[in-house]
């Protein structure tokens, strides 16, 4: 039974397939083409193609796909049955070919590089300008200086976000091209060059992103995870909260610790979450509110001290080698936001501590502090398998261990 019009897909084969692309078993599929009466020139997917208008007559012929590729019109669409083997192969070819978009881009000029170096210096101190201190400068000069400082930190955070997003996007393109080659192994020789070049660009982006992240903050975030849940102890500062005091205490700890654990920011930069919890608990009431905010500031400072003490605690194994299969960004439609399955902390850890990367599998080896390893392993999932590499010791390089890792097997801690 012949396909109906609704069962056809119209594909621009000439702009998708070039003579360099291996066709595998699809090369023998007969393709209905239109050509001028002379039989020479391009093959067309429709007799209505503009380049055929001057032809005295047009003939339809069936040509094996492998023979037709070199003559396909780049402007024509071919009607193909929805079950044609050419369609999924075309999708795979498109995944690999799209890598070329990110290659051979203009390098940043010295002014851009200097701005990014300044961003790294700014973010080393924190997310926002240091709090103003008393000075003898005029108020107008102080205000102008504060505005300039805020603009500097805004630029720095934007630099980091753009580097992070671009690195993740490039990783996702490479991962999808790997899936395409896995589905059609005969594409590997053609895809290898593009994938190798993209892997180089990807590593440059990873390093640029990692330069805007502070490793000590990642370690302190992991330390928060192992802190015991603090116990509530009533006091005068909680009086304004009344019966809601203990509930507000527990909620403040939960919000602060949750945000701190999965962030690349300083622990101090999470204090707004505590401020919000306390403010919500009071609502429009004012009595006792300043005192409550003061006691929660002291509590937060104490939690931060505990985390830093934990981060500095000596352990038997200071560093561990772990492997992770980093997930790609989920596919979205044009109107949908990308929702990265990685938290900011996970992304920063992977970019900062990578010591080996397997381009074909998309797996990465990380040499990380003990606490960071424990958090990665504790939070491993089907989306991102994580496992220790050679837990009993091995003299093999990380690249070799990573190549031997069966990331499809059970995730072990």
């Amino acid at each position: 039974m012949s396909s109906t019009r609704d069962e056809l897909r119209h594909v621009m084969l000439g702009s998708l397939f070039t003579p360099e692309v291996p066709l595998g078993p699809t090369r023998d599929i007969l393709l209905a083409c239109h050509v001028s009466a002379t039989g020479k020139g391009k093959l067309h997917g429709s007799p209505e193609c503009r380049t055929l208008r001057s032809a005295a007559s047009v003939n339809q012929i069936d040509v094996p796909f492998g023979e037709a590729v070199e003559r396909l019109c780049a402007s024509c669409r071919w009607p193909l049955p929805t079950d044609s083997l050419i369609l999924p192969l075309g999708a795979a070819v498109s995944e690999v070919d799209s890598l070329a978009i990110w290659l051979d881009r203009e390098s940043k000029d010295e002014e851009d590089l200097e701005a990014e170096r300044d961003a790294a210096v700014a973010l080393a101190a924190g997310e926002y300008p240091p709090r103003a201190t008393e000075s003898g400068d005029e108020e107008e000069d102080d205000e102008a200086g504060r505005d300039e400082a805020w603009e500097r930190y805004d630029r720095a955070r934007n630099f980091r976000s753009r580097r992070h997003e671009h690195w993740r996007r490039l990783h996702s393109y490479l991962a999808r091209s790997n899936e395409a080659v896995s589905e059609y192994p005969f594409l590997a020789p053609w895809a290898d060059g593009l994938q190798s070049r993209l892997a180089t660009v990807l590593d440059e982006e990873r390093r640029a992103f990692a330069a805007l992240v502070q490793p000590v903050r990642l370690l302190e975030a992991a330390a928060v995870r192992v802190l015991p849940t603090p116990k509530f102890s009533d006091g005068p500062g909680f009086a304004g909260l009344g019966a809601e005091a203990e509930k507000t205490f527990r909620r403040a700890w939960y919000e602060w610790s949750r945000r701190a654990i999965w962030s690349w920011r300083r622990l101090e930069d999470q204090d707004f979450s505590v401020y919000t919890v306390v403010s919500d608990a009071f609502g429009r009431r004012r009595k006792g509110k300043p005192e409550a905010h003061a006691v929660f500031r002291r509590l937060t400072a104490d939690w931060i001290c505990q985390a830093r003490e934990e981060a500095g605690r000596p352990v038997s194994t200071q560093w561990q080698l772990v492997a992770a299969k980093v997930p790609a960004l989920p596919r979205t439609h044009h109107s949908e936001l990308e929702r990265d399955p990685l938290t900011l902390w996970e992304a920063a850890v992977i970019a900062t501590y990578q010591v080996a990367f397997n381009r074909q599998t998309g797996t990465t080896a990380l040499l990380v502090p003990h606490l960071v390893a424990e958090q990665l392993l504790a939070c491993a999932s089907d989306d991102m398998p994580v496992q220790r590499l050679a837990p009993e010791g091995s003299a093999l390089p990380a690249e070799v261990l990573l190549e031997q890792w069966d990331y499809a097997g059970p995730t072990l801690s």
Side-chain angles (χ1 to χ4, degrees), residues 108-119 159 163:
K108 292 181 178 291
D109 57 30
E110 184 56 35
E111 185 177 346
D112 291 333
L113 294 174
E114 180 57 36
E116 199 149 350
R117 284 192 288 267
D118 180 70
F159 267 120
R163 285 295 193 182

Side-chain angles (χ1 to χ4, degrees), residues 82 156 163 200 202 273 276 316 318 336 356 407:
T82 54
R163 285 295 193 182
T200 300
L202 176 64
S273 61
T276 301
S316 58
Q318 291 288 346
E336 294 178 339
Y407 59 85

